[in-house]
Amino acid sequence: MKVAKVIVDVAASPIDSTFDYDIPEKLEHVVQKGIRVIVPFGKRKVMGFVVDLASDSEFDQLKPIQEVMDYTPILTSELLELSSWLQEQTLCYRISALQAMLPAVFKASYDKEVWLIEEEDHLPEKLRDVAQGREVFPFSDLDNSSITHSQVSKYINDQLMDIKYIVKGKNRIKKHTYVEPAQEVHLLMETNENMPGRAKKQKEILEHFIDHPESVLLNDLIKQLQTTRGPVDALVEKGILKLVQKEVYRDPYEGKNEESTKPLALTNLQQQAIDPILDSIESNTYRTFLLHGVTGSGKTEIYLQSIQEVLSKGQEAIVLVPEIALTPQMVSRFKARFGDDVAVLHSGLSAGEKYDEWRKIHRQEVRVVVGARSAIFAPFENLGIIIIDEEHETTYKQEDYPKYHAREVAKQRGTNHQCPVVLGSATPTLESYARALKGVYQLLELTERINDKSMPDVEIVDMRQELHHGNRTMFSDSLTEKINDRIERQEQVVLMLNRRGYSTFVMCRECGETISCEHCDISMTYHQRQHKLKCHYCNDEKPMPNQCPSCESDAIRFFGTGTQKVEEALNFHFPDANVIRMDVDTTNRKGAHEKLLTRFGNHEADILLGTQMIAKGLDFKNVTLVGVLAADSMLHLPDFRASEKSFQLLTQVSGRAGRHELPGEVVIQTYTPEHYSVELASQYDYDAFFRKEMQVRKQFHYPPYYYLALINLSHDNHIEVIEASKKVAQIISKKTNDRCQLMGPTPSPMLRIKDRYRYQCMIKYKSREDVEEALRDVLDHFKKQINQQKLQLTVDFEPYHFM
Ligand code: ADP
Ligand code: ZN
Ligand code: ZN
């Protein structure tokens, strides 16, 4: 092949097609589909992905590829194709689709290192010359030698060496020193017999290796035999042992060897639910299942046993969970069943750690990946199942380009690999449940909890009544009584403060002045620890004022309820209780989240107080009371999913209580007890909620009755953005038929963020074809302005954020 088709990394390039480049002779056989190359582009040199090869080109005088960045493809053919599907689906640039599939390491600046795999004496002379006894050396040494690119390729294919990317800065690949015998066991025995008795330590070490002739971490050996480095070095010097440097993967779950678990005997209900999934695995047919089951109904066990089946067929599995950093307990269950066969990918990992986990997948060292959204792009080549747990979670939608939904990608990959896709939830999205009822997905129901455990009783407390009775605290009489009761019985309590929509804003009690961000038009939030005001959108900070900037009164206070404030109130009303607070502030350090949970699990505290993050996946034996402090705070957001989200959250947090022997109870405090989200969640009545909410959606033309596309515009000039959004509306009206409805243009609920004015248009439509041309025309029309980066204009299919 003489010609490479390349997608170049040119930010906001108006050109989104492939470019042909000549493959110079020295790079023949090295350039492959799925590698990155450096190519000339205008006056610059840019990175690009080789997406295809051809024997000739319709263009003359092709410029040559300058360099290769990879010697083994980092994207499979399937993923290359998927990137083009993703581009079509989300109307993004192909380059951002490609980049979304890879760990960030491949975007950052990095160095390459050569790691030798084969023993020195088995290496070709040329390579030995460059290595000069080193097992690891900079790639540039190879580059500067007489070794050709095709030789490099060959060395890698022959497994003589490997190339690794080094993230600059602190994320270096970790190496550890191992000790291993340099001689056969019988020689070790001989040496041991001939060694004088006073070399006691050396003899002990030798005996160790006679019994266990395998490689061991130097530090472990020293510790285990209670010795020092001296005797080891002595044996190394005599050529009996040798020291070896080996890569250790940065393992975020290091040192936590899960006790392994065996598949449980499934209940009848579980068996009925898993059979169709196993059928689909057996027959290699794509199908999407919706596994609807209340918390504790045994969904996870079904995932585990389905994966077991996939692995026994020699295939691979992807499991998506909302945000693993938040659910360490979930990860543990997969590690406990499949051990080292599991890679974990989530946003809490450093760039280096993510790269390590990705490499395990790429090198086919693991067959299961448990990860957040982007794990859907795991480079497996023989996928046997894709599972999306808590399918209703909004984190599966990516908010940046490409604005994809992991569920849609899953269905596409499921089709590519002809394997099942399983969506699991106690509270499926209306879209998914409606599809299941129509037979587009196959519905699998688990109607009961394992062991017939009943769901905890839910009491709804009307906080307006509390106020009438003269209770001005944040805790209703009932909740107070129950908390006291649990403390006495040494049981534990989970309290959730639903903070979305709430904030600790600052207001003057004299004149009502509030303090807003100068760039974003929203109230700034008070942070007690630093005694500062912060904007949650742009991160701007201000000192907390001592007097009102408007009337100079000193009666300026912060209002609203934050977790800190609740913690103070808890300490005041329940002085004997230990409280662990879990929110953005206490969990921003790595591992902090897990530590707090472990402490709570060890009963080091009576009350776990937190935001939404505690609603998910937690499973503590001793928790018998769950309290929700402000159940309705998200009911009134400008979002058509507000009721659905409230219902989901309330159902989920209730599921945290009484999961084991002790029965559980739930108290929901609200100012709108009559709202159907609150009422039906307290009765665990998903079906009734679904029917009620479907009526609302039908009436107002929302999904699942209509699809939505949201066009967001922003500009630092208010007039310009109004003009542009009018033009958008004009193009859309002209190009769409009467099956589509255009809403707007309207100012976004947050009119200004980071000094940019924001407007939006929404289209409701029945079929993508009806809007396709109009949206492409819009993007086309504004191409120039977008590229000059003055106007931002994005199209979001299946939008989740309307602010
Ligand atoms: P879900 O994922 O639906 O919340 P889980 O799979 O976590 O449910 O199951 C809830 C509890 O029941 C867990 O402690 C699990 O170990 C247990 N469990 C699940 N299936 C079985 C089974 N077939 N037999 C006994 N216990 C089971
Ligand atoms: Zn701001
Ligand atoms: Zn004032």
Side-chain angles (χ1 to χ4, degrees):
M1 293 288 171
K2 293 287 294 165
V3 177
K5 302 206 170 275
V6 177
I7 296 282
V8 290
D9 181 13
V10 177
S13 154
I15 338 129
D16 200 32
S17 45
T18 56
F19 282 82
D20 289 0
Y21 285 92
D22 182 54
I23 303 175
E25 208 171 317
K26 63 168 185 171
L27 293 180
E28 239 178 307
H29 309 298
V30 180
V31 173
Q32 313 167 53
K33 269 169 79 169
I35 69 164
R36 292 164 308 155
V37 290
I38 303 285
V39 291
F41 188 82
K43 289 198 183 99
R44 292 184 290 160
K45 281 189 203 168
V46 300
M47 189 273 280
F49 286 86
V50 176
V51 294
D52 213 348
L53 301 175
S55 46
D56 54 45
S57 166
E58 55 186 286
F59 302 102
D60 298 332
Q61 301 224 322
L62 297 184
K63 289 185 191 160
I65 290 177
Q66 228 132 58
E67 264 180 65
V68 292
M69 296 176 77
D70 308 301
Y71 287 86
T72 29
I74 55 174
L75 288 166
T76 62
S77 313
E78 187 226 349
L79 290 176
L80 288 174
E81 251 172 60
L82 191 70
S83 72
S84 127
W85 172 86
L86 201 58
Q87 171 192 25
E88 289 287 316
Q89 286 297 305
T90 65
L91 299 182
C92 70
Y93 293 117
R94 181 92 182 268
I95 188 75
S96 48
L98 289 163
Q99 277 167 342
M101 298 179 172
L102 292 166
V105 173
F106 293 110
K107 257 191 273 179
S109 65
Y110 60 84
D111 284 332
K112 279 186 286 201
E113 277 180 355
V114 175
W115 287 58
L116 297 182
I117 299 170
E118 194 48 83
E119 300 274 328
E120 199 175 340
D121 5 330
H122 299 167
L123 297 177
E125 202 178 324
K126 271 186 175 178
L127 186 54
R128 224 167 15 188
D129 284 350
V130 180
Q132 293 183 335
R134 295 171 296 176
E135 284 170 32
V136 177
F137 53 90
F139 182 80
S140 52
D141 292 2
L142 209 59
D143 230 9
N144 297 331
S145 73
S146 62
I147 295 175
T148 64
H149 288 285
S150 27
Q151 278 166 330
V152 171
S153 264
K154 186 165 177 335
Y155 295 162
I156 295 172
N157 283 334
D158 294 349
Q159 305 233 346
L160 302 179
M161 59 174 231
D162 193 8
I163 291 178
K164 294 178 187 170
Y165 303 94
I166 310 299
V167 186
K168 279 188 183 149
K170 53 185 181 320
N171 290 315
R172 292 190 45 84
I173 285 179
K174 268 211 265 178
K175 281 170 257 179
H176 280 181
T177 309
Y178 284 76
V179 199
E180 57 189 48
Q183 300 178 341
E184 305 275 325
V185 174
H186 67 272
L187 291 176
L188 297 183
M189 291 164 94
E190 208 170 287
T191 316
N192 188 28
E193 273 159 34
N194 295 337
M195 194 166 285
R198 68 195 137 75
K200 220 175 101 206
K201 280 293 169 194
Q202 290 190 37
K203 283 173 84 79
E204 265 178 44
I205 295 170
L206 277 175
E207 276 153 22
H208 167 91
F209 282 108
I210 291 166
D211 290 343
H212 313 277
E214 60 272 0
S215 188
V216 54
L217 256 176
L218 176 61
N219 286 341
D220 286 357
L221 182 78
I222 289 176
K223 224 184 275 165
Q224 197 186 327
L225 301 181
Q226 301 194 343
T227 176
T228 55
R229 181 88 196 237
V232 178
D233 284 344
L235 289 167
V236 171
E237 224 153 87
K238 290 179 200 157
I240 299 164
L241 299 181
K242 60 179 179 183
L243 299 177
V244 197
Q245 304 285 320
K246 288 192 194 170
E247 172 185 2
V248 275
Y249 286 123
R250 284 153 286 212
D251 184 356
Y253 294 86
E254 197 167 30
K256 270 172 292 171
N257 282 328
E258 299 297 339
E259 233 167 85
S260 74
T261 61
K262 295 247 152 34
L264 303 168
L266 297 180
T267 63
N268 282 341
L269 281 174
Q270 279 175 316
Q271 195 63 51
Q272 280 168 26
I274 201 174
D275 280 343
I277 302 176
L278 297 180
D279 273 353
S280 161
I281 295 171
E282 280 314 310
S283 58
N284 285 312
T285 37
Y286 159 67
R287 202 180 242 177
T288 298
F289 296 95
L290 178 62
L291 178 58
H292 176 217
V294 294
T295 23
S297 59
K299 294 188 293 297
T300 309
E301 189 60 33
I302 290 184
Y303 303 155
L304 292 168
Q305 297 198 18
S306 304
I307 294 172
Q308 191 76 56
E309 184 61 28
V310 163
L311 295 185
S312 72
K313 279 185 71 195
Q315 294 181 311
E316 297 127 4
I318 295 177
V319 184
L320 297 190
V321 297
E323 184 44 87
I324 308 201
L326 303 181
T327 53
Q329 289 177 330
M330 187 73 177
V331 175
S332 306
R333 291 181 68 181
F334 286 85
K335 286 241 169 190
R337 194 65 60 88
F338 305 116
D340 290 341
D341 232 350
V342 181
V344 179
L345 278 174
H346 65 83
S347 64
L349 303 181
S350 68
E353 285 169 339
K354 272 190 209 153
Y355 171 54
D356 283 357
E357 295 296 300
W358 181 86
R359 255 162 46 82
K360 289 186 199 165
I361 303 165
H362 189 234
R363 294 162 56 119
Q364 305 184 339
E365 293 171 359
V366 294
R367 293 181 299 165
V368 181
V369 60
V370 181
R373 182 179 58 232
S374 63
I376 195 61
F377 298 115
F380 285 131
E381 291 178 71
N382 198 6
L383 261 177
I385 195 168
I386 302 174
I387 292 165
I388 304 186
D389 189 35
E390 309 282 4
E391 73 95 23
H392 59 274
E393 282 294 328
T394 54
T395 56
Y396 291 128
K397 173 72 196 300
Q398 165 136 315
E399 290 308 321
D400 302 330
Y401 268 133
K403 297 172 184 280
Y404 66 91
H405 198 299
R407 181 185 57 232
E408 300 309 308
V409 180
K411 280 151 52 180
Q412 185 65 18
R413 290 199 81 182
T415 313
N416 292 344
H417 291 269
Q418 286 298 307
C419 72
V421 172
V422 180
L423 312 175
S425 174
T427 50
T429 54
L430 269 78
E431 289 91 329
S432 290
Y433 201 71
R435 275 179 203 148
L437 292 184
K438 271 175 71 181
V440 180
Y441 300 161
Q442 184 168 345
L443 185 61
L444 309 171
E445 303 242 34
L446 288 176
T447 42
E448 281 157 32
R449 276 185 146 182
I450 294 288
N451 299 334
D452 292 334
K453 212 161 280 256
S454 55
M455 292 300 283
D457 281 333
V458 181
E459 180 191 354
I460 298 178
V461 178
D462 185 346
M463 289 307 276
R464 293 168 307 191
Q465 294 295 331
E466 293 289 314
L467 204 63
H468 282 233
H469 297 149
N471 177 1
R472 297 184 167 277
T473 72
M474 319 175 178
F475 312 109
S476 60
D477 292 342
S478 169
L479 184 60
T480 306
E481 188 184 308
K482 284 179 177 147
I483 292 177
N484 278 325
D485 173 64
R486 299 308 132 111
I487 295 172
E488 212 160 277
R489 295 210 310 246
Q490 306 226 324
E491 293 170 6
Q492 288 170 290
V493 181
V494 168
L495 286 184
M496 185 183 75
L497 176 69
N498 184 359
R499 224 179 130 179
R500 218 171 290 170
Y502 255 71
S503 65
T504 47
F505 63 101
V506 170
M507 191 171 89
C508 170
R509 291 197 166 188
E510 294 290 341
C511 74
E513 171 87 2
T514 58
I515 303 207
S516 298
C517 175
E518 285 162 30
H519 316 281
C520 305
D521 271 354
I522 60 160
S523 320
M524 294 186 90
T525 304
Y526 177 66
H527 282 242
Q528 190 177 39
R529 202 169 290 169
Q530 295 118 321
H531 194 57
K532 268 185 186 155
L533 299 173
K534 277 192 196 171
C535 170
H536 274 201
Y537 284 84
C538 73
N539 253 336
D540 199 21
E541 299 187 347
K542 270 187 205 175
M544 170 76 189
N546 294 322
Q547 25 170 257
C548 170
S550 168
C551 74
E552 296 185 355
S553 150
D554 57 6
I556 186 153
R557 301 280 145 76
F558 58 91
F559 280 78
T561 318
T563 38
Q564 289 180 2
K565 235 180 139 189
V566 179
E567 188 183 16
E568 281 167 25
L570 282 171
N571 290 334
F572 180 77
H573 292 287
F574 308 96
D576 295 335
N578 284 319
V579 179
I580 290 180
R581 174 164 64 90
M582 218 161 81
D583 58 17
V584 192
D585 288 336
T586 61
T587 55
N588 53 11
R589 241 175 306 121
K590 221 182 129 202
H593 187 269
E594 226 184 318
K595 261 189 215 127
L596 292 177
L597 290 182
T598 309
R599 279 179 49 208
F600 189 63
N602 294 339
H603 206 156
E604 286 173 43
D606 307 286
I607 301 175
L608 176 67
L609 164 69
T611 47
Q612 279 90 333
M613 64 169 77
I614 63 172
K616 284 161 212 155
L618 305 188
D619 190 357
F620 293 112
K621 288 191 168 50
N622 202 33
V623 172
T624 57
L625 176 64
V626 168
V628 182
L629 293 180
D632 31 18
S633 62
M634 67 199 289
L635 274 177
H636 311 293
L637 293 176
D639 178 349
F640 76 91
R641 290 193 180 88
S643 302
E644 185 184 2
K645 284 182 182 165
S646 299
F647 179 84
Q648 287 162 349
L649 187 66
L650 292 177
T651 309
Q652 213 162 38
V653 74
S654 302
R656 298 302 118 218
R659 289 174 60 93
H660 298 272
E661 274 72 49
L662 300 166
E665 250 185 311
V666 179
V667 175
I668 294 179
Q669 300 190 160
T670 170
Y671 290 90
T672 44
E674 62 283 353
H675 194 284
Y676 62 94
S677 290
V678 178
E679 199 183 322
L680 294 173
S682 76
Q683 295 159 8
Y684 303 99
D685 197 342
Y686 178 83
D687 286 335
F689 174 77
F690 176 79
R691 285 193 305 267
K692 171 80 192 156
E693 183 66 13
M694 284 294 271
Q695 283 171 8
V696 177
R697 302 284 177 91
K698 188 170 186 181
Q699 186 183 353
F700 293 100
H701 294 191
Y702 280 122
Y705 292 95
Y706 279 80
Y707 292 102
L708 298 182
L710 183 68
I711 301 159
N712 283 307
L713 299 102
S714 79
H715 197 292
D716 52 19
N717 182 314
H718 202 157
I719 312 266
E720 297 263 355
V721 72
I722 293 176
E723 289 305 316
S725 52
K726 278 187 191 153
K727 183 71 199 172
V728 169
Q730 215 180 54
I731 295 173
I732 292 171
S733 317
K734 214 166 84 193
K735 289 278 177 159
T736 53
N737 53 31
D738 53 7
R739 277 179 302 178
C740 305
Q741 283 170 272
L742 171 69
M743 326 288 292
T746 53
S748 302
M750 306 282 316
L751 174 60
R752 196 165 52 122
I753 290 182
K754 294 184 197 172
D755 288 323
R756 295 180 71 90
Y757 293 86
R758 306 164 72 243
Y759 276 69
Q760 59 190 30
C761 293
M762 184 145 71
I763 315 178
K764 297 177 175 176
Y765 61 95
K766 285 282 193 187
S767 144
R768 176 78 182 249
E769 285 160 25
D770 292 342
V771 293
E772 188 76 24
E773 199 191 334
L775 291 172
R776 284 181 187 274
D777 279 3
V778 165
L779 287 170
D780 241 26
H781 181 89
F782 289 102
K783 213 156 222 176
K784 209 162 147 211
Q785 283 189 61
I786 296 172
N787 285 331
Q788 290 165 346
Q789 310 206 331
K790 286 184 182 142
L791 178 72
Q792 259 185 25
L793 189 155
T794 59
V795 178
D796 189 358
F797 296 99
E798 209 183 338
Y800 280 82
H801 283 273
F802 301 88
M803 308 287 276

